[in-house]
Amino acid sequence: MAATLIDGKKISAQIKEEVKEEVLLLQQKGVTPCLAVIQVGNDPASSVYVRNKRKACEYTGIRFADYLLAEDTDQQTLLTKIQELNEDASVHGILVQLPLPEGIDEKAVTRAIRPSKDVDGFHPVTAGALFLREKGFVSCTPAGILQLLKRSGIEIAGKECVVLGRSNIVGKPMAALLLQENGTVTVTHSRTKNLRQVTGRADILVVAVGRPRFVDDTYIKEGAVVIDVGIHRNEDNKLCGDVDFEKVAPKCSAITPVPGGVGPMTVAMLLKNCVEAAKVESNL
């Protein structure tokens, strides 16, 4: 039985259409959601990400305000800009594009964004709210993965879920979300003993290790659902993930491709968070 391809492009397009409708309703009430993006320096990958966010905002009707600061911008200047945006009632979401140049403390920058405008979901208050099941934004990639599973009709409750990777941006929030959906969750990482044995129990395996084609068919049980968060260039300069797709796909019931799986969902969920922020800020 061939694995079902979980189409992130298609599902993200659905979410963008939903966002577009919500933006129209908000505009009728005199509110236009606004996302402010700060980029420090001209890192080429960052510029591509910012451009993609701009295009998505323009498509859905969200106002996009971008601030390109020089590479040599100091931390205080950046924090002052964030504070200005915190106080600007017309701005609903604030995002600082990572990575930042050396000499700028990423933690201090993340903490400077007001939690009610933290549409990336990285602030400690936001992260804490997720674990305590309180209101707050969920970081966009795990939120997107949850939507991929739900909109593909994949049941999470009662399933053995394994997350490979423990980053603050993907691994930990992903584990919390799966737990909230009544999955039985194990978080694995580089120090996990008998890793193949643990991942081999997974009904749902989320792979976010940052190592190209690390997971092959020996890590997977027959019929598992595999979500690949990684994105890399292989030796032929083609995009690939943390999962060796050719080897793993025949064993799965469903799998995300790279590209076109998790990637498009991250921006879609950012837009959704921005609309939610506009509603909260405007008491709607």
Side-chain angles (χ1 to χ4, degrees):
M1 186 182 77
T4 301
L5 266 191
I6 299 174
D7 190 342
K9 280 186 181 171
K10 185 178 163 189
I11 294 170
S12 70
Q14 289 168 2
I15 291 170
K16 281 179 190 166
E17 291 307 319
E18 291 164 17
V19 167
K20 203 173 181 179
E21 283 178 34
E22 286 199 80
V23 170
L24 270 173
L25 288 172
L26 283 171
Q27 285 173 336
Q28 285 164 15
K29 293 171 182 172
V31 176
T32 296
C34 173
L35 175 66
V37 175
I38 304 171
Q39 182 183 348
V40 185
N42 275 313
D43 176 71
S46 291
S47 297
V48 169
Y49 290 133
V50 170
R51 205 157 52 240
N52 288 344
K53 285 163 189 164
R54 175 194 286 281
K55 269 170 66 179
C57 282
E58 285 171 354
Y59 178 76
T60 53
I62 293 171
R63 188 164 73 83
F64 186 86
D66 64 330
Y67 301 89
L68 179 58
L69 307 182
E71 182 79 29
D72 60 0
T73 298
D74 62 28
Q75 184 168 309
Q76 193 47 55
T77 304
L78 176 55
L79 293 176
T80 301
K81 174 49 74 180
I82 292 169
Q83 194 49 38
E84 274 174 32
L85 296 169
N86 279 336
E87 301 304 328
D88 185 340
S90 72
V91 171
H92 304 105
I94 303 169
L95 183 154
V96 177
Q97 186 65 46
L98 302 176
L100 290 164
E102 272 184 42
I104 296 181
D105 179 0
E106 208 172 276
K107 278 186 181 174
V109 169
T110 301
R111 286 162 194 252
I113 297 170
R114 189 179 287 169
S116 62
K117 297 189 179 193
D118 173 35
V119 287
D120 246 345
F122 294 166
H123 194 287
V125 167
T126 318
L130 170 62
F131 279 85
L132 297 174
R133 298 196 75 161
E134 291 177 4
K135 276 194 173 177
F137 300 111
V138 179
S139 57
C140 302
T141 301
I145 291 167
L146 195 64
Q147 287 300 314
L148 283 179
L149 292 169
K150 286 185 164 186
R151 291 176 188 239
S152 300
I154 294 161
E155 182 70 37
I156 300 168
K159 295 287 177 69
E160 186 97 39
C161 304
V162 177
V163 179
L164 182 42
R166 53 177 165 180
S167 73
N168 292 335
I169 292 173
V170 179
K172 289 176 191 169
M174 191 71 245
L177 285 176
L178 291 167
L179 201 54
Q180 283 181 16
E181 296 295 325
N182 301 313
T184 300
V185 183
T186 305
V187 178
T188 61
H189 44 79
S190 57
R191 305 294 286 275
T192 300
K193 289 181 179 174
N194 305 319
L195 183 59
R196 282 183 176 85
Q197 204 176 317
V198 182
T199 60
R201 295 199 305 260
D203 300 309
I204 298 169
L205 177 64
V206 179
V207 186
V209 284
R211 293 169 68 179
R213 292 180 297 192
F214 176 77
V215 169
D216 62 19
D217 53 322
T218 63
Y219 286 81
I220 310 292
K221 82 168 179 185
E222 199 75 42
V225 172
V226 177
I227 306 290
D228 188 353
V229 182
I231 188 150
H232 315 274
R233 295 253 171 212
N234 67 13
E235 54 279 4
D236 303 321
N237 205 35
K238 286 186 176 167
L239 289 172
C240 67
D242 288 350
V243 173
D244 190 328
F245 185 88
E246 276 69 33
K247 288 182 180 173
V248 169
K251 234 177 154 177
C252 296
S253 60
I255 187 169
T256 57
V258 176
V262 173
M265 296 299 293
T266 302
V267 173
M269 297 315 290
L270 174 67
L271 302 175
K272 207 164 174 54
N273 280 352
C274 196
V275 167
E276 288 307 311
K279 286 181 187 170
V280 171
E281 290 276 308
S282 311
N283 296 313
L284 293 171

